Amino acid sequence: MNDALSPFLSRLRSSLDDGSLVQLTLGHPSAPASPLRKLLIRPVTIRGEMRLGVVSRFVTRDETKNYPFPEAVALVQARLGSEFLSAHLFTQSEEVQLELGKKHRLRVTQAARAAATLEHDRRRVRWVAPQSRYLQALEVTDSRGKVRERMGDKFRQIERFVDLLASAFHESTLAGLDRPLVMADMGSGKGYLTFAAYDYFERVEKMAAQVTGVESRDDLTRLCNRVAQECGFSGLRFVCSPIADYPLPALDILVALHACNTATDDALYAGVRANAAIILAAPCCHKEARPQVDHAKAAEPLRDLLRHGLFAERHAEMATDALRALLLERAGYRVRVSEFVAAEHTAKNVMLIATRRRTPLPPEAIADFDQRIAQLKTFYGIQHHRLEQLLMDGRQLEGSGASPVPLPEL
Ligand SMILES: C[S@@+](CC[C@H](N)C(=O)[O-])C[C@H]1O[C@@H](n2cnc3c(N)ncnc32)[C@H](O)[C@@H]1O
């Protein structure tokens, strides 16, 4: 073992022994074109037992597995130096950086930030606290803070959502924000996830947040505003409006979970226009592409896949979401697709996680996205995609001086 790896691994082991590990990241793949870009490793509690959760971050998706500590350390040892050439260890008291190149470098600094993050992590299981008043008021939990019998799936969904939100937040530049964070939840429904996000930022991250739920049903916005007031959530409000008509301010985070059909596209477009640093969208029903996907017009062997209505429907859904991902990438975002909740709980289990790039795309990357978007549409015979249309119209509006936010050329 090389002379820098060995002290690094001992530091990792001690941080596990004394419970001070916050997070470990392995990066800098030795094969530059590898689709696996990073491993993110954190302590997690699974049914009362401590494990290390290892997220394998591929270019467009994440895979998560949990390991007992010794197995996880063995995994780190096996992959560091071969598959990954850098590691970044955050413990409660220090930050340790390892670079494995021609010269190996191990740098240790005292880290006040790590301690704060650990505090978050210790509370991980309570990022969504079942005793919260809002969960009781929304009838997810009972008056003793116990999850109601039929609300188990909803509670798991809320937890998973906050997990994904927190992870996107920590990877973004928003974590050090010195002003209130601005977020909108489009199609907020009964507000379960809107309340959970607000509560997460204010209670766990200790940040001021201004969160707006946009919802077309007046009864739901009234209910949610009443609960927000009862809970003293002064930065949380709900407005009754169609997504497409609601004028958004500049945003940090846009969320759209299960907004019906092309309302997801309206929300994604609103996020791009509002220059959101993070966009989280879980698409719901997909009705736009299905009638356009015609097996009779498809070439073999695709024709045989689309011949069956159920398969055609699934292809139309995937094509719609893949186009959404490409369009967001073209608009200057990095996009990952994650499983929102396990497929056995709901078929609507895809989450698009988009984070805005710090630098604009070069023209050749834009041209490449244009080509890929056109190819995918042609492959499935898709003529209209609402998000594409909105982005194109927005671009024209901008040309007329009516758009507040510059949109990338489409
Ligand atoms: C399936 S619910 C999801 C609610 C919430 N986001 C969640 O995941 O728990 C979809 C919500 O979006 C609202 N909605 C659908 N289309 C909308 C639109 N175009 N504008 C505003 N709200 C919309 C519906 O009224 C409904 O409450």
Side-chain angles (χ1 to χ4, degrees), residues 154 157-158 185-194 214-217 220 239-245 255-264 266 282 284 340:
K154 180 51 78 183
Q157 189 193 57
I158 297 171
D185 180 6
M186 309 302 255
S188 49
K190 202 173 166 186
Y192 301 111
L193 305 161
T194 338
V214 178
E215 166 58 50
S216 55
R217 275 182 53 187
L220 293 178
V239 290
C240 181
S241 164
I243 291 170
D245 296 351
V255 169
L257 304 171
H258 309 123
C260 318
N261 193 22
T262 51
T264 294
D266 295 342
C284 185
F340 183 12

Side-chain angles (χ1 to χ4, degrees), residues 356-372:
R356 203 181 53 221
R357 286 174 178 277
R358 282 166 209 195
T359 50
L361 284 179
E364 54 283 10
I366 295 194
D368 180 56
F369 280 123
D370 283 340
Q371 197 184 5
R372 287 156 65 191

Side-chain angles (χ1 to χ4, degrees), residues 147-164:
V147 178
R148 287 176 189 272
E149 209 173 310
R150 280 200 295 276
M151 296 306 272
D153 283 355
K154 180 51 78 183
F155 187 73
R156 268 191 293 280
Q157 189 193 57
I158 297 171
E159 281 191 307
R160 173 74 178 146
F161 164 67
V162 175
D163 250 10
L164 292 170

Side-chain angles (χ1 to χ4, degrees), residues 69-147:
F69 287 178
E71 274 181 44
V73 174
L75 178 145
V76 170
Q77 184 168 351
R79 298 177 81 171
L80 198 49
S82 53
E83 209 175 332
F84 294 100
L85 300 180
S86 76
H88 204 155
L89 173 71
F90 285 95
T91 76
Q92 193 168 7
S93 55
E94 61 183 22
E95 225 177 294
V96 187
Q97 274 180 283
L98 175 69
E99 302 291 340
L100 299 169
K102 281 193 190 121
K103 282 191 184 158
H104 303 316
R105 231 161 38 107
L106 183 74
R107 203 176 56 188
V108 182
T109 44
Q110 299 306 307
R113 191 164 80 87
T117 319
L118 178 72
E119 183 60 17
H120 303 151
D121 229 59
R122 280 215 172 112
R123 297 189 198 179
R124 186 185 177 286
V125 286
R126 294 193 295 148
W127 279 359
V128 181
Q131 289 78 15
S132 301
R133 194 155 161 208
Y134 77 88
L135 286 172
Q136 291 173 18
L138 298 176
E139 298 175 322
V140 177
T141 55
D142 63 19
S143 56
R144 288 167 302 139
K146 200 161 167 291
V147 178

